[in-house]
Amino acid sequence: MFILAIDTALDACAAGILDTRSSRLIAHESLAMKRGHAEALMPLIARVMASSGIGFADLDRVAVTTGPGSFTGLRVGLAAARGIGLAAGKPVVGVTTLTAFAAPVVSRDAGHPVISAIDARHDHVYYQVVSSDGGSLVPPRVAPIVEVLEAAQFGAPHIVGNAAGILAARWPADTPPPVQIDTQPAPEIDWLAWLGVAVDPETALARPYYLRAPDAKPQLGAVPHAVVPNEAAAP
């Protein structure tokens, strides 16, 4: 299978193509950025496709991050993924950013709980906690940092995500410290692609995954709440 993975949820604009037969990315590119995803994404995808040597018709699936993340960035990636999928007649699947952060850690099953954490600002984070084998300990939610620190009850964790350093700096001194802190601006594009292989297109829908309403709201009507995609914890 050839999987095109796209991520614009956080502080990167990234795309890559996974060839499952060789178990490697045959082309990928990632640009660090907080803004400007809309202008950067399609030229980046064009370069990745050209580098891969395959056409859009050769793809088997498109995978895209669905959030939590930047309200604007998410829509850029989702719109591109849906457009490519529609034009090429290929299924498009969604993967949450929290799952993509946790996947490479879970794959190693080092015996420690894994906390995926994304900065939600205002002393809050989006987070989830899974066991070392990917079982859910705390489902995805947005919460004050003081509440997130209660995850210390599960033992010394591996913390990953762009809020990993924030949590580590406030970790309770009377509990076992984190075994590892991976402060990453965005998920690894190869793991997003592998998760795109693992999920079910019927349930892992490519639509925004909100844990709270976005800061910028329409003037009329409520912001619809997205259904949680059903995802595998790791390839």
Side-chain angles (χ1 to χ4, degrees), residues 99 102 106 109 111-116 127-141 147-148 150-158 171 233:
T99 297
V106 169
D109 194 1
H112 297 277
V114 182
I115 302 176
S116 304
Y127 82 108
Q128 70 178 21
V129 187
V130 298
S131 62
S132 63
D133 62 0
S136 179
L137 297 175
V138 178
R141 63 184 62 181
E147 176 183 320
V148 183
E150 296 175 5
Q153 66 182 295
F154 301 114
H158 186 135
W171 198 254

Side-chain angles (χ1 to χ4, degrees), residues 11-146:
D11 293 343
C13 182
I17 298 176
L18 172 69
D19 179 358
T20 61
R21 295 168 300 180
S22 62
S23 297
R24 67 182 183 89
L25 290 180
I26 58 174
H28 64 97
E29 184 176 342
S30 180
L31 301 175
M33 61 176 60
K34 295 182 180 295
R35 298 178 179 83
H37 298 81
E39 295 77 16
L41 180 59
M42 293 311 296
L44 184 149
I45 291 175
R47 293 192 297 271
V48 168
M49 292 299 298
S51 178
S52 73
I54 67 171
F56 288 105
D58 299 314
L59 296 172
D60 293 283
R61 188 176 291 185
V62 181
V64 61
T65 41
T66 59
S70 159
F71 180 77
T72 302
L74 285 175
R75 275 164 169 64
V76 170
L78 285 164
R82 289 170 177 167
I84 292 169
L86 181 63
K90 307 298 180 180
V92 182
V93 296
V95 175
T96 70
T97 321
L98 293 169
T99 297
F101 270 132
V105 184
V106 169
S107 72
R108 297 192 289 271
D109 194 1
H112 297 277
V114 182
I115 302 176
S116 304
I118 296 170
D119 188 6
R121 299 183 299 178
H122 311 300
D123 210 43
H124 283 62
V125 297
Y126 304 109
Y127 82 108
Q128 70 178 21
V129 187
V130 298
S131 62
S132 63
D133 62 0
S136 179
L137 297 175
V138 178
R141 63 184 62 181
V142 60
I145 290 175
V146 65

Side-chain angles (χ1 to χ4, degrees), residues 204-231:
L205 305 179
R207 60 189 185 191
Y209 177 51
Y210 293 132
L211 293 175
R212 70 179 181 192
D215 292 335
K217 299 180 182 179
Q219 292 182 345
L220 299 175
V223 176
H225 182 75
V227 176
V228 178
N230 180 18
E231 302 176 33

